[in-house]
Amino acid sequence: MSTKADKLKPRLSKIFSDLWDDKMRTTLVVASISVGVFALGMVISAYSILDTDVGHSYASINPPNIEIWTDPFDDNLVHSLEKTEGVEDVVAHRLMIVRASIGDEAPQSLQLLGMSEFNSDVNLLRPIEGTQYAKEGEVVLSEDRMHSSGYHPGDIIKVEFPDKKIRELKVVGLVTDQITSQPTPGQLVYAYVSMKTLDSFGIDYSYNHFYITVTGDGTDVDFITEVADAVEEQVERSGRYVRKINEGMLSNEHPMNDNILAIIGLLGILGVLLAVLSSSLIINTLNALMAQQLRQIGIMKLIGGRSKQILGMYLKLIVFYSVIALIFAVPLGAAAGYGLSLVISTILGAVLQGFRFVPAAIITQVVIAFAIPLVSGYLPVNSGAKTSVVRAISDLTPGATPKKKSFLSANAKWMRNFSRPVLLSIRNTFRKKGRLLLTIFTLTMAGAVFIGVFNVRASMDSLMDNLLAHFLSDVTVNFTHPYRVNEVEQALLEIPGVEALEAWGGAAGEIVDENGEVVSDLGLSAPPYDTQLLSPEFLAGRWLLPGEEKKLVVADTIYNFYPDIEPGDTLRLELNGGRAEEWEVVGIFRFVDMLGDPIGYANFDFIAQKTHLPAQASSFRIVTTEHDIESQAKIAERVDKALNELNFDVLSIQTGAELRESASIGVNVIIMFLLVMAILTAIVGSIGLMGTMSMNVLERTREIGVMRTIGAVDNVVMLSVIIEGQVIALITWVLAIVLSFPISTVLLKIIGETMMGSEMTAEFTPFGIFLWLGIVIILSIIASIMPARNAAKLTINEVLAYE
């Protein structure tokens, strides 16, 4: 045993010597392995935690399987529905929009939910601050990352109800509601009060909304749909119109679960790319190491070392690199994965089950940490181990300049205008072409991903612009009931800063098939035919013409139900519970599938006639003389004050800036995650460049010594190294621009299909290109400074004596 130990000791001693003596090389290789392994650990941990915990958290609140909005009803209908086959529980609410404020601040609209019982077992609210139970005269508010009222427990808010009376409510708690925590533009904060509170305010004790759970575990979509149909039929038999129904809500699957996991999956693809990119540094490092230690290999072979023993020794060195990388990457990846899960779960209103290490993540990290370095390093190590003794101990020096003249020869015409240090830097850049190609590949991919993320951001901004092209007004005013258009025009056009306004109508519609079965809900808006506040991007057809009846333009989300529909085809529509009629589709425009049911547009005059509201509207869109955020807010305050003085029943007032901010929150979350991965790829690229520059300087040690002996000062030596790094950086920048186009297209395709449910048009922005130029220049300087300083510090005796 002691003999075997003695034989192993010199090899292990050399391995530890290689690890310790060249700390820069060890640090770079370990860091390169760690970044890729860390990223994969983070993504897999987050995916596993979210996949398990979000579903568990959602199931724990006992979410409804069916949600219905209908005409007012009382407890008798609730008791009747509870007896319907398949129904487990029914919870009724009173939904209304109110306006709330504190002191003299501008009022904000809230979605008020009058609850028949706060201790219901359906859709349990989780307290964030204070309590989740509101007594008479109290209110509890929903709170999440995307929607916040700004109110806190203890605040007394003044609430204006639809009857124009203002009552005071005490805020007693902030809660998360996983049903209402959706990244939907314009969604209001929910306010929960007891029905006793509404009764004390003189508001009639009736409901217009309810949640229903089904028997069983609530995971059978077909069964839920069957129960929903039975419930809808029973509600309609009672003489009430079902305005909207949301069915197919599974008890163990958060509504946003698939979208979130799709984001994590996209990050996983980038994590794999990081792990692959790290292999280039390993190949470069081991190639340089084997070239540097050729004489040592020759000596080992002279004293009896066999190629397999030498190969095994260097492979063990790689294993040690991987072990060190795992020590850092595993705990950091687990912590980052939990942190990422925490951010996403907070957005969803979900509660995690606590920090933990995910076995699948650790196993993957271990496999990747050993597999990629060993596979990447085998060829250079095996080649070095098989080097003959004669070649290994000959005078062939690493990085010797080839004698054959080339494009970069000193007497090449195009190089004669460069100074000697610059000329030397350019020639040295291309001395080791294999190493240069690997470095360029790594940094180019990093740059392409970085630029691609900004292109994705520009494309998603364009998508938001397309979405907001349907909401071009500076201020939108909604009333609790319709008013005559000329009456509102007279009131609003007199307000300073109001330049123009349009009255918009609308109706709740359903698309039905030949058998009268509902295919989909359809939100139908009715602007004036000559509206200036709507600019849809048409995929086919045209806009509405004056006086057209039973004609509509519809969003491309209609393709989900009618894939082959074209302008000229008809849809059977039921408006506000009326009889089904054939409507001709005259145009199809681009929209976002993730926002729900299809929307459409019809002429204002025709819809006003169909809804028996001629020349009346409850929604008015205002154009202001100034369009900046501050001006919009000032005009909104003036409009609110003027309408209140004239006793109009205002439901809500919203500025265009508020709508855009609300719509962009979900997009910004996606971009934030992509930027994290882009930064990580930039780190891998910079590590690769730093490793290359360190190896290049190491191999030029004698050359630097010669430069010093003929009078080159430290600044000249440092400048030559930095210029070399700049040349590599600029080459990769140009290549990254080219490669960013296909990468952007692929990222957009994944995001569009898995998250947005809509095809996204690629937009390419120069911002990311020039930002990456600045970053890559700075990275190249940082990557060059340390090896350049080390080279400049060497004495002439040290560099001339270098082996």
Side-chain angles (χ1 to χ4, degrees), residues 318-331:
I318 297 174
V319 170
F320 275 101
Y321 285 141
S322 299
V323 169
I324 297 171
L326 283 170
I327 291 173
F328 292 100
V330 169

Side-chain angles (χ1 to χ4, degrees), residues 559-574:
Y559 290 137
N560 294 334
F561 308 97
Y562 299 95
D564 301 322
I565 193 169
E566 296 177 351
D569 294 342
T570 60
L571 293 173
R572 290 176 59 82
L573 298 186
E574 291 182 359

Side-chain angles (χ1 to χ4, degrees), residues 700-710 795-796 799-800:
R700 291 171 53 200
T701 303
R702 282 194 173 185
E703 180 183 292
I704 292 171
V706 173
M707 292 173 61
R708 299 282 294 279
T709 59
I710 61 175
T795 66
I796 294 175
V799 294
L800 293 179

Side-chain angles (χ1 to χ4, degrees), residues 68-136:
I68 297 181
W69 294 258
T70 186
D71 291 338
F73 60 92
D74 55 22
D75 287 323
N76 291 329
L77 180 60
V78 175
H79 297 323
S80 174
L81 292 177
E82 288 175 340
K83 300 175 182 177
T84 303
E85 186 177 356
V87 171
E88 176 73 20
D89 204 351
V90 180
V91 179
H93 309 110
R94 175 67 179 270
L95 268 178
M96 67 180 75
I97 295 179
V98 298
R99 308 187 73 210
S101 62
I102 294 180
D104 297 328
E105 69 177 19
Q108 62 175 300
S109 297
L110 302 175
Q111 179 71 70
L112 187 132
L113 194 73
M115 303 182 68
S116 55
E117 48 182 324
F118 267 91
N119 59 351
S120 166
D121 291 332
V122 179
N123 191 33
L124 303 175
L125 303 176
R126 296 191 183 280
I128 299 174
E129 186 179 351
T131 181
Q132 72 267 43
Y133 304 111
K135 300 177 182 177
E136 187 173 333

Side-chain angles (χ1 to χ4, degrees), residues 220-259:
D220 187 336
V221 175
D222 293 335
F223 179 64
I224 295 173
T225 302
E226 183 181 328
V227 174
D229 291 341
V231 169
E232 183 179 12
E233 183 180 347
Q234 190 164 343
V235 171
E236 291 177 342
R237 279 206 309 266
S238 72
R240 296 170 178 86
Y241 170 59
V242 175
R243 300 183 181 278
K244 184 178 180 182
I245 183 168
N246 186 9
E247 59 188 54
M249 302 165 66
L250 302 182
S251 298
N252 63 344
E253 186 176 303
H254 194 284
M256 294 298 296
N257 188 65
D258 290 343
N259 291 35

Side-chain angles (χ1 to χ4, degrees), residues 727-789:
V727 171
I728 296 175
L730 292 176
I731 292 173
T732 62
W733 176 66
V734 173
L735 294 175
I737 295 173
V738 176
L739 191 59
S740 68
F741 290 93
I743 286 181
S744 302
T745 303
V746 171
L747 289 176
L748 285 171
K749 185 174 181 62
I750 294 172
I751 293 173
E753 290 182 355
T754 60
M755 284 170 266
M756 297 296 180
S758 178
E759 183 179 345
M760 297 177 64
T761 304
E763 298 282 343
F764 301 99
T765 171
F767 178 76
I769 293 173
F770 289 105
L771 178 61
W772 178 248
L773 174 62
I775 290 174
V776 79
I777 287 175
I778 294 172
L779 287 176
S780 65
I781 292 174
I782 295 173
S784 305
I785 282 178
M786 187 173 295
R789 287 185 62 188

